[in-house]
């Protein structure tokens, strides 16, 4: 695996290899830290704000013994007009092996991966536009299997801003491959008509009935062209202590807007898995970087 661009590019056996290695790192983090089996460096290029993903990748890199460099576009030659491709070529020439990129433009990272680099450079998608977030889907898959075992036949309900969510798109692609029954629940203005063969349910009580896991999504105000009726959304689509199935696990990729997509009362009593998700993300991203560096070294 030279790059990680999209879940669609991964075979099922590659996904399972990442998950098995993540399990190893969860149990053997001290050994993983001390061995420093890789000698190399990563550069984080985040053109959108991030907390969990950025710090998770940085933590994963440091636990593997890699050198980490944080790229700030506003303080770089990009502010002078240099393109991202030329920036990456120069960073690679200096000695960076992997570029971990978050960007607003759809297909931007795959476009970069197709270009010719003077040196060897691996690219990792840390969230792109509203289409893909592969490592988030991988860590969600890891979290779900820890709690539910096999996902075959399990009902996973995704509630919220489906149309703008790269997390939803990548999770639907990955989880459905392993037999999960995906149900999307949102008001009509958040329905994504490009998603095929996915069950949509507009009534949240019907959607959540008998769910094994419920995944809330943030309303992405920064991507909305028009204001939405927030009070109506909260009344009809908030996940709360009244509609949340008792035995289901509650998930959210973050950041959570309390008392909007999930009530504070529910977060405080049933939000432990939401905090577990970023922890699991470190192990999953360690596995991804480890596998890529094995390829780099060959």
């Amino acid at each position: 695996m030279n790059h990680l661009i999209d879940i669609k590019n991964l075979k099922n056996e590659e996904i399972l290899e990442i998950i098995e290695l993540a399990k190893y790192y969860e149990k053997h983090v001290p050994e993983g830290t001390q061995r420093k089996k890789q000698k190399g460096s990563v550069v984080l290029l985040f053109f959108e704000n991030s907390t969990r993903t950025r710090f998770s990748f940085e933590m994963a890199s440091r636990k593997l013994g890699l050198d980490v460099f944080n790229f700030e576009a506003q303080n770089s030659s990009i502010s002078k007009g240099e393109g991202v491709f030329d920036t990456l070529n120069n960073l690679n020439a200096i000695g960076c092996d992997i570029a971990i990129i978050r960007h607003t433009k759809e297909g931007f990272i795959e476009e970069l991966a197709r270009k010719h680099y003077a040196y060897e450079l691996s690219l990792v998608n840390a969230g792109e536009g509203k289409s893909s977030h592969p490592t988030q889907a991988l860590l969600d898959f890891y979290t779900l299997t820890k709690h539910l075992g096999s996902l075959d036949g399990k009902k996973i309900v995704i509630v919220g801003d489906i149309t703008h969510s790269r997390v939803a798109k990548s999770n639907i692609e990955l989880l459905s491959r392993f037999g999960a029954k995906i149900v999307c629940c949102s008001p009509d203005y958040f329905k994504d008509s490009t998603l095929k063969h996915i069950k949509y349910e507009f009534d949240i009580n019907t959607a959540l009935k008998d769910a094994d896991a419920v995944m809330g999504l943030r309303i992405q105000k920064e991507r909305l062209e028009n204001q939405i009726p927030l009070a109506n959304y909260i009344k009809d689509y908030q996940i709360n202590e009244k509609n949340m199935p008792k035995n289901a696990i509650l998930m959210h990729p973050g950041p959570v807007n309390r008392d909007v997509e999930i009530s504070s009362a529910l977060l405080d009593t049933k939000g432990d898995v939401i905090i577990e998700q970023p922890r699991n993300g470190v192990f999953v991203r360690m596995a991804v970087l480890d596998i890529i560096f094995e390829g780099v070294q060959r």
Side-chain angles (χ1 to χ4, degrees), residues 88-108:
L88 288 174
N89 240 346
N90 280 279
L91 289 172
N92 190 215
I94 290 168
C96 294
D97 301 296
I98 295 182
I100 300 168
I101 303 172
R102 169 168 288 195
H103 206 275
T104 58
K105 183 181 175 182
E106 307 290 332
F108 181 69

Side-chain angles (χ1 to χ4, degrees), residues 2-189:
N2 294 324
H3 309 290
L4 178 56
I5 309 294
D6 198 312
I7 291 296
K8 295 176 182 177
N9 303 134
L10 291 178
K11 299 176 182 177
N12 284 7
E13 52 265 34
E14 291 176 311
I15 292 170
L16 294 176
E17 180 186 4
I18 291 168
I19 297 306
E20 286 304 309
L21 189 52
K23 289 179 182 177
Y24 168 81
Y25 277 125
E26 182 168 11
K27 294 178 180 178
H28 303 92
V29 170
E31 287 90 335
T33 305
Q34 292 166 5
R35 283 188 308 162
K36 293 192 176 182
K37 61 185 292 185
Q38 291 90 4
K39 293 292 184 183
S41 60
V42 301
V43 57
L44 303 174
L45 299 95
F46 278 58
F47 296 92
E48 283 187 328
N49 295 334
S50 172
T51 299
R52 277 152 294 277
T53 302
R54 182 171 191 146
F55 281 93
S56 179
F57 267 116
E58 183 165 352
M59 183 67 73
S61 301
R62 294 189 188 282
K63 285 182 179 294
L64 288 171
L66 304 171
D67 294 322
V68 183
F69 300 91
N70 281 289
F71 177 88
E72 297 180 357
Q74 67 272 22
N75 297 324
S76 75
S77 293
I78 285 179
S79 65
K80 301 177 181 178
E82 184 174 66
V84 175
F85 170 70
D86 292 319
T87 295
L88 288 174
N89 240 346
N90 280 279
L91 289 172
N92 190 215
I94 290 168
C96 294
D97 301 296
I98 295 182
I100 300 168
I101 303 172
R102 169 168 288 195
H103 206 275
T104 58
K105 183 181 175 182
E106 307 290 332
F108 181 69
I109 300 169
E110 186 171 3
E111 179 184 322
L112 287 172
R114 287 198 302 264
K115 292 190 175 184
H116 172 73
Y117 288 87
Y119 301 88
E120 294 292 329
L121 183 67
S122 295
L123 305 180
V124 175
N125 180 352
E128 183 182 66
K130 57 182 182 180
S131 62
S132 62
H133 196 343
T135 58
Q136 180 68 45
L138 287 165
L139 77 87
D140 288 342
F141 179 51
Y142 184 61
T143 303
L144 284 163
T145 55
K146 283 176 65 176
H147 288 270
L148 303 178
S150 170
L151 297 191
D152 190 29
K154 297 296 194 301
K155 182 179 178 181
I156 314 296
V157 183
I158 304 175
V159 183
D161 186 356
I162 308 291
T163 192
H164 297 105
S165 176
R166 53 194 172 210
V167 173
K169 311 298 194 314
S170 290
N171 265 303
I172 289 168
E173 170 68 28
L174 195 161
L175 302 180
S176 59
R177 281 204 217 170
F178 290 88
K181 296 179 180 178
I182 309 293
V183 176
C184 290
C185 180
S186 73
D188 188 64
Y189 49 80

